[in-house]
Amino acid sequence: MYMLKPPFKIKVIEYTPGAALTRAKRARAIARAGYNTFLLKSDEVYIDFLTDSGTSAQSDAQKAGLELGDEAYAGSRSFYHMEKTVRELFGYRYVVPTHQGRGAEHLMSRICIQPGQIIPNNLYFTTRRFHQELARGVWVDVAVSEAHDPKNTFPFKGNVDIKKLLRVIKRHGVKNIAYISMEAAVNMAGGQPFSLDNLKKVRRISKQYRIPLYLDITRIFENAYFIQQREKGYSKKTVREIAREITLFSDGCTMSAKKDGVVNIGGFLAMNDRDFFRRAKEEVVVFEGLHTYGGMAGRDMEALAIGLKEFSRDEEVAYYVSQVAYLGKELRKRGIPIVLPVGGHAVFLDAKRFLSHIPQEQFPAERLTAEIYLESGVRTMERGIVSGQHGKEPYDGLELVRLAIPRRAYHREHLDIVVDGIEKVFRRRKYIKGLKMVYEPKSLRFFQARFAPVGRMK
Ligand code: F0G
């Protein structure tokens, strides 16, 4: 059997007008969008694999929670429900809600980083790194070298290179390190997990040097599931138990609740340190909202409390990851170059190998997203030089296209249509040319940059 049993059936459906669009209409749509899939209208899209963020399907219990949400400005019952759930699942003492993940990253960076301080990270996530730098911190990569090699099948590409971390600490001095930042199921490397063994080693260093360790637990359940499947000694533990063990080895976290929390909007930061909490409460009222809603509606906090409990169940995560694995396997069968091993929430195409004749300065991954859309109405996302290049920092060199699967939202038929479309693009790949950037926004340029084709779209 390819995919595991879906632990649910379908009660509500959503029609996708983009299914009826002709190729000629898609060609006009992508040209109008400046060849950037972020600028397409969702009605122009058939299967939306742009992101798994805020796009997952909610359960009947979550929808009921939306009705039960307490919209009190202060002291909302739904906040306390969410706070209790986060405490139970992750064990942190204090929880501060934010409107989404980047709101939490903003507050953490403002509070925990002094100008010039270094933040060692296992690769980067766009918004996390941006907020670290906005707080005048210096992002430094300490990921294992395997994370940079799309062909390497190392099972824990989210690991920190312990020697690199120690070198950074020794070179800059403990006082100049703000905190160690570690992301679960590293998005930019293909949804790749860290091992608990590696996390424990990082934790030992963080304790030894008294440097806080903060996690990004946005996709913690996929990371926990991979530990259960791949790491010795964890096969009998539940995803929930492993997730709890992960958070035990840290001082706090940020979370974009739009992924493993299965809500449309929301996030939080959580911590054990009382001073950090006090500062976070002071800052959240300035940038997000009162500390008992932080930019979230009561209904979303209610749905989040329920969503976290649901999605931390083994059968939910296992089914989701098996969908991703199926997509990866079918693409590989057709010889399409993807990042290995396949990650938790997404399959990444390796655009450098897919369009090996297009130099990276001509944005092969961006062009590939446009071609996939043109071929089949499937929306994917560039995760290459457009997303990665940032000021004068050296770029990690990956040139990927991400196919992120929203949770509980698509059938196997959808996955097969995606595979067929990409195979068609693959067959005509040698006729595809690059792009030139015609508009570049100042920050997080991938969201709004515009391009023009170097060659004609076929
Ligand atoms: N951390 C990780 C690992 C993320 O993947 C994201 C968002 C964030 C933080 C920021 O959270 O969007 O709620 O402000 N990732 C989305 C994605 C955008 O498509 O991967 P946010």
Side-chain angles (χ1 to χ4, degrees):
M1 191 166 62
Y2 273 124
M3 265 190 261
L4 298 178
K5 284 196 282 193
F8 49 76
K9 61 178 179 173
I10 288 140
K11 182 144 49 182
V12 178
I13 57 145
E14 177 183 352
Y15 285 109
T16 46
L21 238 57
T22 60
R23 189 188 179 97
K25 281 198 175 140
R26 287 199 296 270
R28 280 201 291 280
I30 195 68
R32 201 211 72 243
Y35 300 90
N36 182 346
T37 51
F38 275 101
L39 302 177
L40 287 167
K41 296 177 183 166
S42 76
D43 275 356
E44 292 163 345
V45 173
Y46 172 30
I47 296 172
D48 205 348
F49 281 4
L50 184 75
T51 177
D52 62 322
S53 180
T55 53
S56 296
Q58 293 188 339
S59 68
D60 48 1
Q62 283 184 292
K63 294 279 185 200
L66 294 176
E67 282 298 320
L68 293 172
D70 175 7
E71 304 301 341
Y73 186 92
S76 159
R77 190 188 319 120
S78 300
F79 167 71
Y80 294 113
H81 185 190
M82 167 189 150
E83 184 192 48
K84 182 166 168 274
T85 308
V86 172
R87 279 186 181 151
E88 275 171 15
L89 286 173
F90 306 123
Y92 299 118
R93 229 168 277 155
Y94 308 110
V95 183
V96 179
T98 56
H99 75 285
Q100 59 184 83
R102 69 201 70 180
E105 290 161 349
H106 176 215
L107 299 188
M108 178 178 277
S109 303
R110 273 180 73 82
I111 295 164
C112 302
I113 300 172
Q114 302 294 329
Q117 275 188 322
I118 311 285
I119 311 100
N121 286 267
N122 56 344
L123 288 184
Y124 71 96
F125 184 71
T126 48
T127 55
R128 180 167 57 137
R129 177 173 174 181
F130 185 83
H131 280 296
Q132 290 173 359
E133 292 177 346
L134 194 68
R136 314 235 307 274
V138 181
W139 168 90
V140 170
D141 177 35
V142 292
V144 289
S145 56
E146 288 90 338
H148 300 278
D149 176 4
K151 277 190 272 189
N152 193 310
T153 57
F154 184 60
F156 292 108
K157 284 178 164 181
N159 278 359
V160 162
D161 182 327
I162 300 294
K163 280 198 194 126
K164 243 192 239 173
L165 175 62
L166 284 170
R167 234 179 290 136
V168 169
I169 296 172
K170 297 227 163 89
R171 187 179 319 136
H172 298 280
V174 174
K175 268 205 232 110
N176 292 319
I177 313 285
Y179 55 89
I180 302 164
S181 167
M182 227 169 139
E183 181 189 333
V186 178
N187 195 351
M188 299 303 262
Q192 304 294 339
F194 53 66
S195 68
L196 257 164
D197 177 60
N198 184 257
L199 177 66
K200 285 180 195 169
K201 287 188 178 132
V202 176
R203 183 56 170 169
R204 231 169 281 143
I205 293 169
S206 116
K207 286 252 179 181
Q208 184 189 341
Y209 293 100
R210 294 172 187 242
I211 301 168
L213 171 57
Y214 296 130
L215 303 175
D216 178 338
I217 63 163
T218 295
R219 295 186 182 85
I220 188 169
F221 301 134
E222 287 89 342
N223 199 124
Y225 177 71
F226 282 128
I227 288 173
Q228 184 194 61
Q229 298 297 307
R230 296 175 185 171
E231 193 165 350
K232 216 168 141 240
Y234 289 94
S235 64
K236 299 251 157 46
K237 295 207 170 176
T238 64
V239 164
R240 228 181 252 181
E241 285 165 348
I242 298 169
R244 181 67 190 83
E245 197 169 329
I246 291 173
T247 49
L248 192 72
F249 291 106
S250 70
D251 298 294
C253 74
T254 56
M255 182 176 202
S256 165
K258 301 169 72 173
K259 287 79 166 174
D260 281 0
V262 204
V263 285
N264 301 120
I265 194 79
F268 60 84
L269 62 165
M271 67 290 282
N272 293 325
D273 183 82
R274 198 161 9 140
D275 278 344
F276 181 9
F277 176 54
R278 185 183 48 76
R279 289 282 318 278
K281 274 205 299 188
E282 285 168 7
E283 299 276 332
V284 77
V285 292
V286 178
F287 293 102
E288 302 280 318
L290 192 75
H291 59 279
T292 56
Y293 75 88
M296 290 177 80
R299 59 176 177 271
D300 293 320
M301 293 191 286
E302 194 63 39
L304 171 56
I306 299 163
L308 283 172
K309 277 181 269 188
E310 287 177 351
F311 205 72
S312 54
R313 286 171 23 219
D314 282 35
E315 57 271 34
E316 273 266 14
V317 198
Y319 169 67
Y320 178 53
V321 173
S322 81
Q323 270 200 319
V324 179
Y326 173 81
L327 180 61
K329 200 170 190 172
E330 290 301 309
L331 288 166
R332 274 193 89 191
K333 264 199 216 157
R334 289 157 172 83
I336 292 157
I338 62 171
V339 174
L340 295 173
V342 171
H345 63 293
V347 175
F348 283 70
L349 306 177
D350 185 356
K352 270 191 184 166
R353 278 184 286 153
F354 198 118
L355 296 173
S356 54
H357 57 289
I358 302 181
Q360 199 165 14
E361 309 80 70
Q362 289 185 7
F363 313 109
E366 191 78 48
R367 180 75 195 233
L368 188 51
T369 63
E371 293 291 338
I372 292 168
Y373 170 72
L374 179 70
E375 189 66 52
S376 52
V378 175
R379 173 152 69 173
T380 58
M381 183 194 289
E382 191 265 5
R383 291 274 87 154
I385 197 165
V386 184
S387 306
Q389 192 89 62
H390 198 79
K392 292 185 182 65
E393 283 288 328
Y395 170 58
D396 65 20
L398 293 176
E399 184 69 18
L400 309 176
V401 167
R402 187 181 73 169
L403 293 93
I405 307 185
R407 290 159 192 76
R408 309 159 163 177
Y410 288 102
H411 289 170
R412 191 158 117 186
E413 287 86 339
H414 291 108
L415 303 182
D416 290 336
I417 290 166
V418 173
V419 172
D420 286 348
I422 292 174
E423 190 184 13
K424 282 189 190 132
V425 177
F426 192 57
R427 281 209 217 103
R428 63 177 174 78
R429 65 190 180 280
K430 61 174 190 281
Y431 303 108
I432 297 171
K433 299 206 172 119
L435 293 170
K436 54 180 185 261
M437 198 184 289
V438 293
Y439 165 64
E440 180 175 7
K442 279 208 179 69
S443 49
L444 298 175
R445 63 181 184 171
F446 59 95
F447 283 129
Q448 289 147 355
R450 296 185 68 84
F451 302 85
V454 171
R456 198 166 60 84
M457 302 282 278
K458 299 234 173 189

